[in-house]
Amino acid sequence: MGCWEAQKGFCPRKGKGKGCKWCEGAPDSAGKGKGGGVWQPQFQKSWGGSSWGKGKGKGKGKTPAKKTDNELKVWVGGLPQKFSFKALQAHFDQAGKSTWAEGGKGGNGSVCYTTEAEVYNAMTLLNGSVFEGHILQVDQWVKKPTKGGT
């Protein structure tokens, strides 16, 4: 058994005839527990089916804004520091049904549409509009130039 006292039929953690989480994983504990292989403490991770290597990193996939063509996006400037993206999308739905809205660093963001006519409507109708007390600048999306100058 895994625990010394459990060898005598008593586990100090659970009582007579019962095993604790340290004892029940032992391979010779009479069919109890999760065992089946080599006994390991609960805190030790195994290499097999564990969650090691499955990190919780941010931004591994592309957002809908990055997948959308540049002709179907508008650039938004003058956004507040904190705001609801649903509220931003609702504000831009005045010009046409938006598919995605996001904010970035420095009060900039983007809103995506399905047609170029909606993009044009957003630029003409919402440029200079007030969103949560801030005056927005809305312009055509232009891809940021690369550091090489091309």
Side-chain angles (χ1 to χ4, degrees), residues 20-25 34 39-46:
C20 67
K21 67 180 180 179
W22 303 105
C23 302
E24 62 188 20
K34 307 165 199 146
W39 179 81
Q40 293 181 346
Q42 294 291 327
F43 60 84
Q44 185 176 356
K45 298 282 186 181
S46 65

Side-chain angles (χ1 to χ4, degrees), residues 58-130:
K58 287 184 170 180
K60 295 294 182 188
K62 287 189 172 186
T63 64
K66 290 186 179 184
K67 293 178 184 178
T68 305
D69 291 335
N70 291 338
E71 295 82 30
L72 301 176
K73 290 190 274 190
V74 293
W75 172 83
V76 183
L79 290 169
Q81 286 285 337
K82 294 184 180 183
F83 62 92
S84 165
F85 297 105
K86 288 185 179 187
L88 180 66
Q89 190 171 8
H91 182 75
F92 276 84
D93 280 347
Q94 298 174 43
K97 180 67 179 148
S98 61
T99 58
W100 183 259
E102 67 181 15
K105 295 178 182 176
N108 297 323
S110 65
V111 179
C112 302
Y113 290 100
T114 54
T115 65
E116 290 183 26
E118 293 170 331
V119 170
Y120 179 77
N121 284 342
M123 289 188 303
T124 55
L125 294 174
L126 300 173
N127 188 27
S129 64
V130 178

